[in-house]
Amino acid sequence: VGFRPAVLRLAHKLKLTGWVANSSGAAWITVNASAAELQQFCAALRALPAPVALTHLDARTTTSRRFVAFTIRESGGRIPAPVVPADLGLCPDCLAEMLADGNRRFHYPYISCAQCGPRYTIMQALPYDRERTTMSEFTMCPNCSREYANPADRRCYGQTLSCPECGPQLYGRVRGGADHLPAAAALAAARDLLTAGKIIAVKSVGGFNLVCRADQETAVQALRELKHRPSKPLAVLVRDLAAARQLCTVTAAEAELLQSQARPIVLLSRITMADVFKETAVTAKKTAAAVAAPALIARSVAYPYGRLGIFLPPQGLYALLAADFPLVVTSCNESGAPIIFRDGDMEKYYAAHPAVAGLFTYVRAILRPADDSVVQVVAGRTQILRRTRGYLPEPVAVTTVPSPAQPVVLAAGAQMEPALALGQGQLVYPVAVPGHLEEVATQQHFAWVAEETANLLGMQPQVVVVDLHPEYYTTTWARGLSLQVLQVQHHQAHALSVIAEHHLQGPVLAVCFDGTGYGSDGTIWGGEFLRCEGRSAHRVAHLASVPMLGGNQSMRQGWKTAVCQLLHAGLTPADFPDAVPEVTDAHVIAVRAALRQQVNVIANSSMGRLFDAVSALLGICSENTHQGRGAMELEAWAQLALNQHLAPLALQLECRGAVYDPAAMLQQLTVSRAGVRKADSLQWRAAAALGFHRALVNMVLAVAQTEKCRQVVLSGGCFANRILLEGCVQVLTAAGFAVYVNEQVPPGDGGIVLGQAYYGLCRP
């Protein structure tokens, strides 16, 4: 990414002559140089800053030929390892120019150079050159042409180079007003609408966004109503790092991520957290809605006592819009459907949704969508939770035994967090697919992304790897492709995703905690300990299988899971006075009858469902109005206990052979709660939430010590939980284990494609 212009500038600086060209995945350089000059040149290549990423360098002497200058030659050729550059966020130099009054690019929203701007979302084909992007329709003006040809200019050979005279232009419309506002008027109108608390639609790098002020409660509530998103946290875009630090604590590693060219959403801890424990018992049940939030952010943006997702402007327009106040920025889409990225689809959406007060866009096609990525820093490592814009579709290098056939493997993923991957040799290309696969629009988009990615990379699959679950859309879709089909168990694929990205050899203990995974015995797994080596996996321990009501609706209802766990433990809701009021005698009778008559009942050892049950029983969250809500709020209460230096409750799961039963832990909770005054119930809730997390950490350590496997990998959606992950890493490392986690792909189902692809690539 940006390698050829960087080499050209470097050669110009060192006064070398020669040429540079590239193919689909490598650069080829010839220079006239003495041995000392060549050594200096190679050292400078290795030191090139981002976005250049030098994977290998092979220098050799060739037949002498004299060149009069250093030039960039036409791209061409093909190697078996294509590299598609990811989109790059706005660089500091372009930002400074855009804000400099008098600069010819002053307030030009689509400013870019060789070090920033879109790539993946506008590429028609490899190699990456302007004529193979949607920038090809824009002819550079004389000023831009001079910059493009000047080796001393940072815009030299910048494929997205443009300006107000020759590039994409902002234009807008205001509902009930002007239908085609030119650039300056459109920018002013967008700012005015946001200032007034309105919702606008904005065409960003990878699709259309819905935007409103993040500091106005009425605006945020209106956006939630429009999106049918009652509770899921919203991301906040701020103008710069200083603005982020007004809201959250930002470590050096987090600051680096915020300012990186991927421009991801970074999960950060708030500076001020309301004192939940000062609330009276009367308002205790309203805690989630009543806790005051920092004044700079509306209360309903995210949990008032949880973390905030913060990111910096990925393009110039957002830097201009966020100059005076923070913004909520979220994908524009119908509920469960992919982000809208085509202009025609956005026109239809705008016409059908009068709550959107204005539409602000530009004429340049987005060829493929890319949502904002989400990351966090945990246990000293960067963990990608959603791998999209800024990372997509960069490959992950894996270690496999080279096969003469070198088949292309397609990984179809799971059902939640849809994704797919293509792999060949020792590279795997994961691609996230936005939306929910229950929606027909997302299913159609999934099939389109698979074909589009194969064509872009020039990799047509011969083998497809799928999950064991017979009812996953991805499995049924893959079986219709007329390819050889391989199956790998869900949690083995989770384990392999970590093994692949860390190039692990030999036996590994894999701890795989998630919400749902079809087990090899036909039950639902999710609290698993697997001993893995090569392509084999053996289940050595797990959570107890509890009879639960199946189906998507039951998975969303934490109270129903809680009742199943209570009945399994020989308890009733009366033992949990803090439990949500929805759990009535009638509910218990209905669930008990369904379990007795085996109506839609399946044995379930899921850790995700245990999180849901405990969250409901502690009176924190009774229904997952978005994926993982119960677990996320339970983590937030555990964090409250840490912040307030509360001692965790001493809880543990009963070990029966290789089975860990939560029944004893629930019984311990009832005994503990019985001795707590009502006025202290909130502190008890936080201490119980933290105690639950500690009990899981202790269980992981106990299994690791029993198995005596020195390599331990942690994967599955539950390991997006920072307290759980940090606790496990800390105790395992202290006990002498080497611990590995997902870093390049998400720990949840969005990263399972890496493990599936690796399984296919490692077949004999």
Side-chain angles (χ1 to χ4, degrees), residues 531-551:
R531 190 178 183 92
C532 303
E533 187 166 6
R535 295 173 86 240
S536 67
H538 174 61
R539 192 187 195 195
V540 296
H542 58 89
L543 282 182
S545 290
V546 176
M548 289 190 187
L549 304 189

Side-chain angles (χ1 to χ4, degrees), residues 9-46:
R9 290 194 298 275
L10 181 59
H12 178 75
K13 178 181 178 181
L14 298 177
K15 297 182 173 54
L16 299 178
T17 58
W19 57 267
V20 61
N22 83 326
S23 69
S24 297
W28 309 96
I29 309 167
T30 297
V31 293
N32 293 133
S34 66
E37 288 172 330
L38 181 61
Q39 186 176 15
Q40 182 185 17
F41 182 60
C42 290
L45 285 176
R46 290 188 175 95

